[in-house]
Amino acid sequence: HKVIICEGVIDVWRIGKGSVATMGVEYTSAQLSLLAQKELDEIYILFDSDAIAKAEKLASAVTTFCSKVEMIELENGDPGEMTPEEVIKLRKEIGI
């Protein structure tokens, strides 16, 4: 009942099971509806370091159906560039 929302499919490939992509920094109402149907307990948003404003907008939107929403901010780059060790550490910290 946890998910990490990323921007793209390469990010999802890197993060692995429990992650989904919006396919860009924008999202649709259909995507929000699909997430809402999953009855998620926790949502983590992990966008590229240059897309923080868009990530905040998404975080605001998903709070309508999930009470625990957190943004994970990278200092630079994007999730697809994370090392395997960084991914393991992240997944362990949030319990995915």
Side-chain angles (χ1 to χ4, degrees), residues 75-90:
E75 289 183 28
N76 55 45
D78 69 69
E81 298 171 338
M82 292 174 71
T83 67
E85 294 79 17
E86 290 171 326
V87 172
I88 290 168
K89 181 181 176 190
L90 170 67

Side-chain angles (χ1 to χ4, degrees), residues 7-96:
E7 285 181 60
V9 68
I10 294 173
D11 301 335
V12 171
W13 292 341
R14 173 63 64 188
I15 302 301
K17 186 177 179 181
S19 62
V20 297
T22 54
M23 305 308 289
V25 294
E26 299 298 331
Y27 54 89
T28 66
S29 58
Q31 289 171 318
L32 292 177
S33 180
L34 286 171
L35 287 168
Q37 289 173 23
K38 297 293 181 185
E39 299 179 3
L40 298 163
D41 296 325
E42 299 176 26
I43 295 176
Y44 298 88
I45 300 172
L46 178 59
F47 275 15
D48 296 2
S49 60
D50 63 353
I52 300 305
K54 296 291 186 173
E56 289 172 344
K57 181 181 172 191
L58 176 58
S60 178
V62 298
T63 58
T64 62
F65 56 83
C66 183
S67 60
K68 183 172 182 183
V69 178
E70 292 185 27
M71 288 181 38
I72 302 168
E73 294 185 34
L74 299 175
E75 289 183 28
N76 55 45
D78 69 69
E81 298 171 338
M82 292 174 71
T83 67
E85 294 79 17
E86 290 171 326
V87 172
I88 290 168
K89 181 181 176 190
L90 170 67
R91 293 177 60 82
K92 187 176 183 177
E93 285 176 359
I94 63 177
I96 288 185

